[in-house]
Amino acid sequence: MSDKLRMLEIEQQHLSIVSEFAVDMLPYTTVEEVVWDLVKNVVARLGFEDIVVYLLDEPRGMLRQLAAYGNKSPEDYAILNPIEIPIGRGVVGTVASTMKPLRIDDTRLFDGYIVDDEFRLSEMAVPMMAEGKLVGVIDSEHHLPGYFTAQHERTLVAIASIAATKIIKAQNHTRLKQTIEQLEYSNKVQDTLFEISELTFNAKALSGFYRGLQHSIGKLMFSDNFYVALVSKDRRAIRFAYNVDEFDNVPIDKSFMLDQKVPGITEYVLNTDAPLLLDYLDMIKMLGRGVFTIRGKVPKSWLAVPFGEVDSDCQESLRGVVSVQSYYDIDAFGEQEKQLLVFVAKHIRNAIERLNAAKALKLSHEHLQQSNSQLEEARREAEHASALKSTFVANISHEIRTPLTAIIGFTEQALKSQHDGQLQQEFLNRVLKGGRHLLELLNEILDLSKIEADKLELSHETLDVFELVDALEAVGNVLAQQKDLCFDVVYHYPLPQKIQGDIVRLKQVLLNICNNAVKFTLEGFVKLSICYENDTLLFAVQDSGIGMSKTEMQKLFRPFVQADANINRQFGGTGLGLVISKQLVTLMGGRITVQSHKDEGSCFTVSLPCQVSKEALVTQKPAYRPEKKQHLSHPHQLSARILVAEDNLDNQFLLKTLLGHLGVDVHMVENGQLALEAALFDDFDLILLDIQMPVMDGCEAVQLMRHGGIDCPIVALTANIMKQDIEKYLVSGFSDTLAKPIQLETFYQKLTWYLDKEKQTSERYMDIAANIAGSDELVKLKADFKAKLNQLSREFAKLAAEHNWQQLQSQAHQVKGSAGSLGFEQLTVTAADIELCLKQKCYEQAEVATRMFIEQCEQINSD
């Protein structure tokens, strides 16, 4: 065959390859389909060893390997180690810059030859041109020199032209498809953003807002893994306000403490305060470097955006993170998704602030309604209290006017009957009876005032149950006999003989209940029963009186109220007795219960907690034992020097008298400063300091003494002996306290405890106390004090009339400390009431107590 014929045959074969390639290109719509068909099916039929298709990256001025045949493509549709070549460099870059084919017969002679996978001697490259534009370059190499012919070049140029045209169409098709998809995506984004905006302003609760937000985002990002984390107010923890994760089930509202050394990935986003988009490989690298930690499974793709701002004071108000994750697609999220999540984050903050504000407004409205309701209730209670006070004023006015009328009337009659001593004595006895009744009324009012002011303290001492009941029985029998009633006492054994408690207040409670039982019983009986069960001592007072309805029983323990207004008119009384009794029993740790039926009688039961061992219970009433007579003896003489600081002259004389019987050396001063000077310049075995003194009080004096190194016993002499007062004195530096009015037995016990090494027995103390009580000095001191009462009462009346409350309080304090020591206990109690009322600025009550003090002084002088 001639060479010409062979050349025609080769040309015909190449034209067939080009034609078939053009036909094959018709259905292809993507660049990848075009270039891979070119390298695998067309160029391979030309017998080339190697071929690579480069596409132009015009913005970067680079040619990028996209498809290959030969060693560069060991697997289908995959290229091994693709490289990029700048325009103008090497054979491929030269063709791109000139846009003309280039055939190299010996690459060793071409200075710009670039070795790709291996060195070859022949190379041919042709531009891929369409519409006058460069699309790419087709490059082929062969190990033999001069392998490529002009026919190869013409065929490859034709194929390159067809491919370039198809690639441009494919690129245009792709751009069109992307444009359509982008438009569709934009519409979806707009719809989603509209949904989120509506959700932000219409959501009623944050939980519903989060659920709706997850649903809206899922339409665009195709991920169900979504959470919102909020920073705690103290910025020490993050709380997952909402979380849906197919692998890591973190409960909603679960909190995690923040770790400043190695933060979690959520905390890392907060610290950097910037959106974070990572794929699996990025996360593995950052985890390896210890940049952050991840709880649970590592996702393939992760996107998070922080929200909230830092204010001018660097205090984070509302801070948090919203995040989406994909466990399957490494390219699940891109810049579009990040921008969308930035928008979402802003709406999350707005929604939280709006809903929190709405919640606060609702709470404020509810509080306002509650306040209005409370104000309305307070108004009703005030009106009710006003009505009660009006009722009380009417009742107390009647109760006070009744004895006052008798007092005034019988006093006038006594003055007219001066020549009839027996008749005058009867009138005066009635005056005295009315005065005592009036005093009882005022005492009830003051008792209630003390209880409500929390100023009433109970004593804790051993009392004999049977002696208490004997006293109640004696009073009850007298009251019952006046109305021809039967008063019985029933013991249910076994019973404790001795218990701990305040005998005065317990007797006050039980007498009040017994007195009421007799008062409201017109015929029949009153029965007092005593029993002990379940560590509780029970006193039950049952009567056959008028009884009460359920409605009347509900009013029993209200101040100033009686079950029925008619009762007050028929039976009298202030309506305070049961109120005081209930509160006293409550202070004792017990309770009062009532059972009653109208016209059938009532039963009041006082229950007191009382733990007594079985051995201490008795099965019969102990026999009467006469009181042991005191054996008077001379006081035990003590060798000691005592410093006494007391500003009240009566108390000074009393203390000198009491201490004189012990044979001690007494140094008396009238204020704390003089006591301090004496203690610093002389040695004393014991110091007695009054608390309230002019110039310097006892607490200041004892503190300075202790600072000065004085370590002898220092005892506080005071009428203020409440628990908090005693604690204050001990903290100030006192060793002990002695209460005013002075109780002789206790006084000598304390003195001998600090001064007598032999420590006298209690019987000895009683002997000493009895000896002193009958001494001429103490009798004279009592008489002198009694003689001053008229002047004292006039002074109290003058100070009260002038409203000189400060001076009246000072005078009351002095009397409180001295009167009881001299045997006038009632004056001490009333003076203490005056002082307390003035301290609390209750001036009206102080005036009432002052008038009572004056009447008590007059009564003492008349005895």
Side-chain angles (χ1 to χ4, degrees):
M1 183 180 292
S2 65
D3 291 338
K4 187 175 182 181
L5 186 60
R6 182 174 178 77
M7 291 294 294
L8 288 172
E9 186 179 344
I10 291 173
E11 186 176 350
Q12 184 66 35
Q13 182 183 357
H14 281 205
L15 287 173
S16 176
I17 292 173
V18 172
S19 177
E20 289 178 3
F21 176 71
V23 173
D24 290 342
M25 289 296 102
L26 291 176
Y28 295 157
T29 58
T30 66
V31 174
E32 285 75 15
E33 289 175 326
V34 172
V35 296
W36 280 105
D37 185 83
L38 188 153
V39 299
K40 292 184 67 176
N41 300 323
V42 178
V43 181
R45 286 169 15 194
L46 293 172
F48 293 171
E49 288 181 344
D50 168 84
I51 192 165
V52 178
V53 176
Y54 291 84
L55 285 189
L56 176 65
D57 187 349
E58 190 172 3
R60 297 172 57 227
M62 302 292 290
L63 293 159
R64 179 169 51 88
Q65 290 180 344
L66 187 62
Y69 174 81
N71 294 337
K72 291 285 290 184
S73 181
E75 296 181 6
D76 287 345
Y77 295 94
I79 188 168
L80 186 65
N81 298 321
I83 65 171
E84 292 182 338
I85 298 175
I87 295 175
R89 183 180 173 188
V91 175
V92 173
T94 300
V95 169
S97 64
T98 63
M99 290 186 287
K100 294 180 179 180
L102 181 59
R103 194 169 71 248
I104 306 297
D105 291 333
D106 191 343
T107 57
R108 290 171 295 184
L109 302 177
F110 188 80
D111 293 337
Y113 176 72
I114 297 174
V115 179
D116 189 355
D117 56 324
E118 65 177 80
F119 184 84
R120 296 181 179 88
L121 293 175
S122 298
E123 183 172 359
M124 181 180 64
V126 300
M128 301 172 68
M129 302 291 296
E131 300 175 2
K133 293 175 59 179
L134 179 70
V135 176
V137 174
I138 300 176
D139 180 64
S140 181
E141 297 181 85
H142 201 277
H143 69 283
L144 294 176
Y147 174 77
F148 297 106
T149 66
Q151 182 62 52
H152 285 148
E153 183 179 319
R154 287 192 297 272
T155 302
L156 200 57
V157 168
I159 289 173
S161 178
I162 295 171
T165 301
K166 194 65 179 178
I167 287 173
I168 287 179
K169 288 182 179 180
Q171 288 176 336
N172 289 336
H173 180 269
T174 300
R175 290 191 188 99
L176 179 60
K177 183 178 179 181
Q178 288 176 343
T179 301
I180 294 172
E181 289 176 351
Q182 187 64 40
L183 288 172
E184 291 177 350
Y185 181 79
S186 297
N187 290 333
K188 284 186 178 180
V189 169
Q190 288 183 1
D191 292 343
T192 300
L193 296 182
F194 183 74
E195 284 182 11
I196 293 172
S197 298
E198 276 197 326
L199 191 63
T200 302
F201 292 100
N202 295 332
K204 301 300 182 183
L206 282 174
S207 57
F209 169 74
Y210 293 141
R211 284 194 300 272
L213 199 61
Q214 180 197 4
H215 176 72
S216 298
I217 292 174
K219 293 179 182 179
L220 296 176
M221 299 190 184
F222 305 104
S223 175
D224 292 330
N225 303 293
F226 171 85
Y227 73 76
V228 176
L230 301 176
V231 181
S232 63
K233 290 183 179 179
D234 60 5
R235 301 191 300 282
R236 295 181 180 179
I238 56 173
R239 174 177 62 86
F240 284 80
Y242 188 80
N243 179 63
V244 175
D245 195 295
E246 56 189 303
F247 287 102
D248 299 327
N249 184 22
V250 179
I252 292 178
D253 282 337
K254 172 75 173 178
S255 294
F256 294 94
M257 297 303 296
L258 299 179
D259 189 341
Q260 298 298 330
K261 294 181 179 178
V262 184
I265 190 169
T266 304
E267 184 181 357
Y268 177 78
V269 174
L270 287 168
N271 293 340
T272 58
D273 196 30
L276 185 61
L277 173 61
L278 297 174
D279 61 23
Y280 182 80
L281 296 177
D282 293 331
M283 281 188 282
I284 293 299
K285 291 177 184 177
M286 297 178 79
L287 286 170
R289 297 200 308 268
V291 177
F292 52 69
T293 61
I294 292 180
R295 301 181 184 91
K297 184 177 177 64
V298 179
K300 290 291 176 58
S301 185
W302 195 83
L303 174 62
V305 176
F307 57 85
E309 297 177 355
V310 180
D311 61 24
S312 58
D313 296 328
C314 297
Q315 297 293 322
E316 298 174 355
S317 51
L318 174 63
R319 292 280 287 157
V321 171
V322 56
S323 174
V324 290
Q325 313 95 41
S326 173
Y327 291 100
Y328 307 105
D329 186 359
I330 198 170
D331 297 319
F333 312 121
E335 285 299 317
Q336 287 182 330
E337 286 75 17
K338 185 169 74 173
Q339 294 304 317
L340 174 63
L341 206 60
V342 169
F343 174 83
V344 168
K346 293 179 181 178
H347 278 274
I348 289 176
R349 181 185 178 185
N350 292 338
I352 292 174
E353 290 180 342
R354 184 186 69 80
L355 289 171
N356 284 344
K359 183 178 180 181
L361 182 61
K362 182 180 178 182
L363 288 175
S364 177
H365 180 67
E366 290 175 352
H367 289 160
L368 182 61
Q369 287 184 325
Q370 185 178 2
S371 297
N372 289 337
S373 298
Q374 290 173 347
L375 286 172
E376 179 63 22
E377 181 64 24
R379 184 188 65 79
R380 288 195 295 267
E381 288 182 358
E383 290 177 352
H384 182 61
S386 177
L388 290 180
K389 288 180 180 179
S390 298
T391 303
F392 167 70
V393 169
N395 290 346
I396 202 67
S397 173
H398 171 75
E399 290 295 319
I400 292 176
R401 286 175 181 276
T402 300
L404 274 178
T405 300
I407 291 170
I408 294 171
F410 287 121
T411 302
E412 290 175 347
Q413 294 300 318
L415 291 173
K416 294 177 181 179
S417 307
Q418 295 182 9
H419 302 294
D420 189 340
Q422 183 176 355
L423 184 58
Q424 186 181 51
Q425 184 67 35
E426 183 179 346
F427 288 147
L428 290 176
N429 285 336
R430 293 180 180 276
V431 170
L432 179 61
K433 182 178 179 181
R436 287 175 176 169
H437 177 57
L438 185 60
L439 181 61
E440 288 176 2
L441 292 175
L442 296 177
N443 280 338
E444 280 188 348
I445 298 171
L446 291 175
D447 271 351
L448 184 63
S449 174
K450 285 183 187 177
I451 294 171
E452 291 181 344
D454 198 21
K455 296 296 182 182
L456 184 68
E457 290 191 353
L458 301 177
S459 65
H460 194 69
E461 57 188 348
T462 302
L463 62 91
D464 190 305
V465 174
F466 293 95
E467 289 183 0
L468 171 64
V469 175
D470 282 345
L472 296 174
E473 186 177 12
V475 175
N477 277 326
V478 172
L479 295 174
Q481 287 172 6
Q482 293 173 355
K483 298 182 68 174
D484 292 330
L485 301 176
C486 179
F487 188 92
D488 293 324
V489 175
V490 179
Y491 296 98
H492 297 277
Y493 296 101
L495 289 170
Q497 182 179 355
K498 303 285 186 180
I499 63 171
Q500 297 295 313
D502 189 324
I503 187 170
V504 174
R505 293 303 181 180
L506 180 55
K507 184 186 292 186
Q508 177 183 346
V509 170
L510 295 175
L511 277 176
N512 178 264
I513 296 174
C514 290
N515 183 42
N516 282 347
V518 174
K519 180 193 295 187
F520 296 112
T521 301
L522 301 178
E523 58 181 0
F525 68 92
V526 174
K527 182 172 67 175
L528 171 62
S529 302
I530 306 95
C531 70
Y532 178 77
E533 57 185 32
N534 299 325
D535 294 330
T536 304
L537 187 61
L538 303 173
F539 296 89
V541 179
Q542 184 180 2
D543 64 62
S544 59
I546 62 175
M548 293 172 286
S549 66
K550 291 183 179 180
T551 303
E552 292 169 342
M553 289 172 63
Q554 291 174 355
K555 302 178 183 179
L556 265 185
F557 299 104
R558 296 183 187 177
F560 317 127
V561 175
Q562 288 185 321
D564 189 339
N566 293 324
I567 291 176
N568 177 262
R569 290 190 289 269
Q570 183 176 356
F571 297 98
T574 63
L576 294 177
L578 282 178
V579 178
I580 296 170
S581 296
K582 182 176 181 179
Q583 295 188 16
L584 286 174
V585 171
T586 301
L587 288 175
M588 296 175 192
R591 63 191 186 118
I592 297 180
T593 57
V594 185
Q595 291 180 335
S596 184
H597 297 282
K598 194 69 172 177
D599 300 324
E600 295 181 12
S602 305
C603 181
F604 285 75
T605 302
V606 176
S607 307
L608 295 176
C610 175
Q611 290 188 348
V612 179
S613 64
K614 291 183 178 180
E615 293 76 13
L617 298 176
V618 297
T619 57
Q620 61 181 3
K621 185 176 180 180
Y624 172 74
R625 293 166 297 167
E627 295 183 3
K628 185 176 180 180
K629 294 183 179 179
Q630 302 290 340
H631 297 284
L632 300 181
S633 62
H634 295 290
H636 184 68
Q637 299 296 298
L638 297 175
S639 177
R641 299 190 74 241
I642 298 178
L643 171 63
V644 180
E646 169 63 64
D647 62 318
N648 184 279
L649 295 177
D650 290 332
N651 282 345
Q652 285 184 9
F653 186 78
L654 174 64
L655 289 167
K656 282 182 181 179
T657 301
L658 299 180
L659 294 172
H661 283 271
L662 295 178
V664 298
D665 182 10
V666 181
H667 183 71
M668 185 74 66
V669 295
E670 60 268 16
N671 61 59
Q673 183 173 331
L674 294 176
L676 176 63
E677 293 173 358
L680 290 175
F681 289 101
D682 206 345
D683 292 327
F684 294 96
D685 299 297
L686 178 68
I687 299 175
L688 302 177
L689 285 181
D690 187 21
I691 296 298
Q692 287 188 219
M693 293 183 291
V695 184
M696 181 185 293
D697 65 23
C699 288
E700 185 179 358
V702 75
Q703 289 174 354
L704 294 174
M705 287 179 184
R706 293 307 189 196
H707 283 302
I710 297 171
D711 58 0
C712 72
I714 304 177
V715 179
L717 279 171
T718 177
N720 299 326
I721 54 170
M722 291 186 177
K723 183 179 179 181
Q724 61 268 27
D725 296 324
I726 295 174
E727 290 175 352
K728 174 186 173 184
Y729 302 150
L730 295 178
V731 170
S732 298
F734 283 102
S735 308
D736 207 338
T737 57
L738 266 171
K740 294 180 181 178
I742 294 172
Q743 302 294 324
L744 295 183
E745 184 178 341
T746 303
F747 180 76
Y748 284 119
Q749 281 180 338
K750 289 278 175 89
L751 290 183
T752 52
W753 171 257
Y754 287 109
L755 299 176
D756 187 7
K757 295 181 179 179
E758 299 178 7
K759 303 290 187 257
Q760 301 297 300
T761 64
S762 60
E763 188 171 321
R764 185 69 170 169
Y765 300 139
M766 295 169 66
D767 288 347
I768 295 172
N771 225 352
I772 298 301
S775 67
D776 294 338
E777 296 96 328
L778 199 55
V779 171
K780 182 178 183 304
L781 186 59
K782 289 181 179 179
D784 291 343
F785 183 84
K786 185 176 180 181
K788 296 177 184 177
L789 287 182
N790 284 333
Q791 179 184 350
L792 191 62
S793 63
R794 286 195 297 272
E795 187 172 351
F796 269 54
K798 182 174 180 293
L799 293 173
E802 295 173 352
H803 291 179
N804 190 347
W805 306 126
Q806 184 176 359
Q807 186 61 31
L808 180 59
Q809 181 179 336
S810 176
Q811 289 280 49
H813 176 75
Q814 292 192 17
V815 173
K816 180 179 74 171
S818 59
S821 303
L822 299 172
F824 303 102
E825 290 83 1
Q826 190 59 42
L827 290 181
T828 289
V829 173
T830 308
D833 287 338
I834 296 172
E835 183 184 21
L836 178 61
C837 291
L838 292 175
K839 282 181 179 179
Q840 296 176 347
K841 298 183 178 180
C842 299
Y843 301 123
E844 292 183 1
Q845 295 182 17
E847 287 181 321
V848 172
T850 301
R851 289 194 292 272
M852 184 186 302
F853 179 83
I854 294 169
E855 292 172 0
Q856 290 171 345
C857 290
E858 293 172 353
Q859 182 177 336
I860 291 171
N861 281 325
S862 65
D863 290 343

